Amino acid sequence: MTLKFKKRIALYNTLAVAYTTALVFFVISFVVYNTAYSHLDANILVEKNEMISNLFWLKDSIIINKMPEWNEAEHSQVEVNPTFLQIKNMQGDIIFRSDNLPSNQKLEDAINGEIYYNSELNHKRIRLGQFPIKNENDKTIGQLTIAVSRQESYTVLYNLIWVLLISFPVMLLVQYFSSSLAASRAIRPVNQLISLASKIDHSNIESRLELPARRDELYELTQTINDLLARIEKSIAQQKQFVSDASHEIRTPLSAIRGTLEVLVRRKRDPEAYEEKISGVIELVDRLDALLEQLLHLARVDSGTTVTRKEHVKLLPVVSAIRQNWEAMAEKRNISILCHLPADAAVKCDKFFFELMLDNLVSNAIKYGKINGHVVLNWNENTRTLSVEDDGIGIPENDIQHIFNRFFRVDESRSSIVKGSGLGLSIVQKLAELQHIHLQVTSRKGDGSTFSLEFPQV
Ligand code: ADP
């Protein structure tokens, strides 16, 4: 069973009050008990001192001389604050008992040698004190037992405990309902917030909740929800933009293919013309294929389900394979690819994703590199950084911050004959993030660019 929030608050509140009150009640009972009984014990002690000072003995025998105060009402009557006295000799015989102590009754002895203890006399509760009677040689010659009624103290304590026991659940019940009432009043604005927030969906995602007048937790909650809405709105806008960019990127080669094919079917041509047009279509299909592959990579990384493995990857074989892939294109532009890597250089990462990242960086370096220029791959063992450097067109300072955005292409690249989708670097960045590889770029327009991958220290 799940309790509603306000009921939970009320319950926790009541439990806290229950613990505190139980403790307070316990302390009150303890203090009252001790006060009442220490008062009785003090009375017994006064009585004992009076008795002992009026006792006489001869060697080991106690001499009982009836003293006038023994006739006082408290010693002779049972009704008014009675004080019972009893003296035993060492043989255990009762040699004196006060008049109010019936002849068939005797005061009970302490069981565990305590001085003060509780007992009953004639079904009435009494408090007793038991003291040894000693002669001048400090030899015990008898035993004095004094009892006073504890009926009054008992009744006070009994009533007190009953009042506490009855008031405890009543008080908790009242506490629970008043807490529940207070909690429901306190969370009323939260409920209002819930009802307002639940009305927001994708059709009115731009709406925001009204901030409360007071700058309290509720204000912060409303602001947090508004911030969240702003982030969702931004991400929806980005997604819409992505879909529109992606469809644009797909539609462009598709309409080019369609246009070429329409031109081809319009009239008969010689085989060379067909060959030329069809090669153009094949190139466009390849572009579409590459674009779809990049979109798929991005979708997989975005889904958050990408699992990266940590493998021991030797750099030289990977770099050599990628160099071979791009050798033909580099030759076309007369770019030399130089690799400065020790044979044993290795990193820990996902090999497949690493190849994908490096492939993108090397292809960009060649695409945007200088004709007759160089692309240099360098490994720095100290910083564990692999850099891909070119001496090509470089990136304008203002564009560097955007090159990792999806579909972003520097204007120059966009208008150039260099083919691209503007997705490669965003894939590289995502994969670097996933593997905790630090991706950095330094570039100057006209001077070239360096992209570096700093691997975590092993
Ligand atoms: P593209 O498919 O356009 O190459 P990328 O995401 O790989 O997409 O790169 C985004 C843009 O960044 C490119 O269009 C280009 O303008 C710029 N860029 C990337 N690498 C380089 C580089 N080595 N030199 C100059 N500009 C680059």
Side-chain angles (χ1 to χ4, degrees):
M1 188 188 66
T2 44
L3 278 180
K4 281 197 141 202
F5 185 59
K6 67 168 189 177
K7 297 242 157 93
R8 259 195 346 253
I9 293 183
L11 185 69
Y12 294 152
N13 221 336
T14 311
L15 281 178
V17 172
Y19 290 137
T20 321
T21 316
L23 187 73
V24 170
F25 281 5
F26 177 77
V27 172
I28 290 176
S29 317
F30 181 77
V31 170
V32 171
Y33 178 92
N34 272 311
T35 313
Y37 281 86
S38 58
H39 184 69
L40 291 178
D41 295 347
N43 282 349
I44 291 174
L45 198 64
V46 169
E47 199 67 40
K48 170 234 167 183
N49 290 338
E50 199 176 310
M51 279 292 292
I52 296 284
S53 62
N54 284 309
L55 269 180
F56 298 98
W57 55 81
L58 197 62
K59 288 192 181 156
D60 291 353
S61 308
I62 301 164
I63 300 164
I64 306 291
N65 276 333
K66 227 169 186 256
M67 286 171 281
E69 63 265 27
W70 289 5
N71 290 326
E72 284 167 7
E74 63 188 61
H75 300 302
S76 51
Q77 292 177 10
V78 181
E79 287 75 15
V80 212
N81 295 333
T83 303
F84 305 100
L85 305 169
Q86 174 183 285
I87 296 175
K88 276 187 183 176
N89 62 16
M90 288 312 286
Q91 287 72 47
D93 304 325
I94 298 174
I95 53 171
F96 170 74
R97 61 169 73 227
S98 55
D99 290 345
N100 51 10
L101 193 60
S103 55
N104 58 346
Q105 305 273 336
K106 60 178 183 158
L107 297 177
E108 199 180 296
D109 285 340
I111 299 170
N112 293 322
E114 318 98 311
I115 300 175
Y116 300 104
Y117 52 100
N118 294 334
S119 183
E120 283 188 11
L121 184 73
N122 237 351
H123 306 298
K124 293 248 165 58
R125 287 176 176 78
I126 52 169
R127 177 81 173 161
L128 298 104
Q130 197 159 67
F131 313 92
I133 303 169
K134 295 184 177 177
N135 65 11
E136 63 274 19
N137 300 325
D138 211 25
K139 185 181 173 193
T140 305
I141 52 173
Q143 186 192 61
L144 168 66
T145 310
I146 302 169
V148 292
S149 168
R150 67 179 169 93
Q151 195 60 41
E152 213 172 295
S153 311
Y154 175 82
T155 313
V156 169
L157 263 170
Y158 181 83
N159 289 344
L160 176 75
I161 285 170
W162 265 111
V163 167
L164 295 185
L165 281 180
I166 291 168
S167 63
F168 188 65
V170 173
M171 195 202 65
L172 290 188
L173 221 62
V174 172
Q175 165 69 27
Y176 179 79
F177 284 113
S178 50
S179 290
S180 175
L181 207 72
S184 81
R185 287 199 67 162
I187 63 167
R188 196 176 295 156
V190 179
N191 285 333
Q192 282 166 357
L193 212 62
I194 291 171
S195 99
L196 282 175
S198 62
K199 287 191 188 110
I200 298 176
D201 58 22
H202 70 280
S203 63
N204 59 348
I205 191 77
E206 67 292 338
S207 41
R208 298 288 178 267
L209 303 171
E210 201 183 317
L211 288 170
R214 261 175 295 174
R215 280 185 167 263
D216 51 12
E217 287 84 350
L218 217 61
Y219 184 95
E220 276 174 39
L221 177 66
T222 317
Q223 200 158 42
T224 310
I225 295 176
N226 280 345
D227 291 348
L228 179 70
L229 286 171
R231 284 202 298 275
I232 295 174
E233 189 189 352
K234 192 174 163 203
S235 121
I236 290 176
Q238 276 174 347
Q239 218 158 350
K240 277 187 188 160
Q241 186 63 42
F242 179 74
V243 172
S244 109
D245 288 347
S247 42
H248 172 78
E249 289 295 320
I250 293 171
R251 205 169 283 141
T252 313
L254 271 181
S255 30
I257 292 171
R258 190 192 166 91
T260 314
L261 294 177
E262 273 173 359
V263 169
L264 277 185
V265 292
R266 218 169 278 158
R267 63 176 167 86
K268 281 215 173 352
R269 292 160 191 271
D270 49 39
E272 287 78 30
Y274 275 118
E275 206 173 295
E276 189 203 326
K277 295 283 177 198
I278 290 172
S279 321
V281 169
I282 291 175
E283 208 178 293
L284 286 168
V285 170
D286 282 347
R287 213 169 114 188
L288 261 179
D289 188 44
L291 176 69
L292 284 177
E293 172 133 345
Q294 284 188 314
L295 284 173
L296 271 177
H297 278 310
L298 265 182
R300 260 183 232 130
V301 183
D302 275 351
S303 70
T305 51
T306 315
V307 183
T308 54
R309 288 181 296 175
K310 278 230 166 217
E311 301 163 89
H312 183 81
V313 181
K314 282 198 162 190
L315 291 180
L316 209 52
V318 175
V319 168
S320 306
I322 286 171
R323 181 188 182 159
Q324 239 173 10
N325 287 351
W326 296 102
E327 198 73 65
M329 186 166 139
E331 261 172 31
K332 262 196 212 167
R333 313 197 74 211
N334 202 21
I335 292 175
S336 8
I337 307 177
L338 309 169
C339 301
H340 301 309
L341 289 128
D344 58 346
V347 289
K348 273 243 151 85
C349 66
D350 186 303
K351 190 165 178 240
F352 175 74
F353 289 146
F354 172 54
E355 283 171 347
L356 198 66
M357 292 160 76
L358 200 58
D359 193 69
N360 268 296
L361 296 180
V362 172
S363 82
N364 278 353
I366 297 169
K367 278 197 299 188
Y368 306 109
K370 191 171 66 177
I371 294 185
N372 302 327
H374 300 87
V375 169
V376 186
L377 279 92
N378 214 6
W379 171 250
N380 184 330
E381 184 63 47
N382 289 334
T383 55
R384 303 197 57 73
T385 304
L386 178 68
S387 56
V388 181
E389 188 182 341
D390 66 67
D391 47 7
I393 59 171
I395 305 165
E397 205 184 328
N398 290 341
D399 286 334
I400 291 187
Q401 51 181 325
H402 303 301
I403 55 170
F404 297 104
N405 294 350
R406 291 162 190 201
F407 297 108
F408 179 85
R409 301 194 75 202
V410 174
D411 279 345
E412 230 169 287
S413 324
R414 202 177 282 281
S415 53
S416 77
I417 48 144
V418 180
K419 310 234 169 6
S421 60
L423 288 177
L425 284 182
S426 43
I427 296 174
V428 175
Q429 190 190 38
K430 275 273 176 186
L431 292 177
E433 261 171 27
L434 271 178
Q435 300 176 91
H436 308 289
I437 299 169
H438 187 49
L439 170 65
Q440 259 186 317
V441 55
T442 51
S443 185
R444 264 186 48 182
K445 193 170 159 36
D447 276 357
S449 319
T450 304
F451 287 82
S452 46
L453 301 171
E454 188 185 327
F455 290 83
Q457 296 287 339
V458 278

